[in-house]
Amino acid sequence: MHDANTINRIVESIRKTESISRRLDKAAQGKSVIFQPVDENAQAFAAAMIARVSPRNTWIICKDVRAQEDLAAELAAWSERVLLFPEM
């Protein structure tokens, strides 16, 4: 289980970075944003930051089921609201 206060402090300190702050402000307004390139190891963290500020649902599309399962597992460390659609 993760410590929500620690996670919030980490996210807020990174959120204050100018280049990230501009994009997250757009997401908070419900606008589409693009974060690229994002290293594969940081994708879950970046998605969680966007989901925290966005008033809309955040959809993440993965290249395959394995990538989807891996990202969902990593994302669960940063967010409590993770839903995974099963393989169709």
Side-chain angles (χ1 to χ4, degrees):
M1 181 148 298
H2 51 77
D3 178 356
N5 291 329
T6 301
I7 290 172
N8 287 335
R9 284 194 309 270
I10 292 169
V11 170
E12 284 307 310
S13 67
I14 293 172
R15 183 182 175 3
K16 293 177 185 176
T17 305
E18 185 180 343
S19 62
I20 293 173
S21 179
R22 281 180 286 161
R23 289 183 181 101
L24 291 178
D25 288 345
K26 284 178 69 175
Q29 297 169 13
K31 297 178 181 177
S32 295
V33 293
I34 298 174
F35 280 78
Q36 73 179 33
V38 176
D39 185 270
E40 188 174 338
N41 295 319
Q43 289 174 356
F45 179 74
M49 285 181 41
I50 295 165
R52 282 176 177 263
V53 300
S54 178
R56 301 171 150 192
N57 289 332
T58 303
W59 292 78
I60 303 168
I61 301 169
C62 299
K63 64 182 177 180
D64 56 35
V65 175
R66 171 70 182 203
Q68 176 182 333
E69 291 170 347
D70 291 346
L71 185 62
E74 293 173 26
L75 191 54
W78 297 106
S79 177
E80 295 174 359
R81 303 178 319 145
V82 178
L83 297 174
L84 177 66
F85 288 100
E87 182 177 3
M88 298 185 135

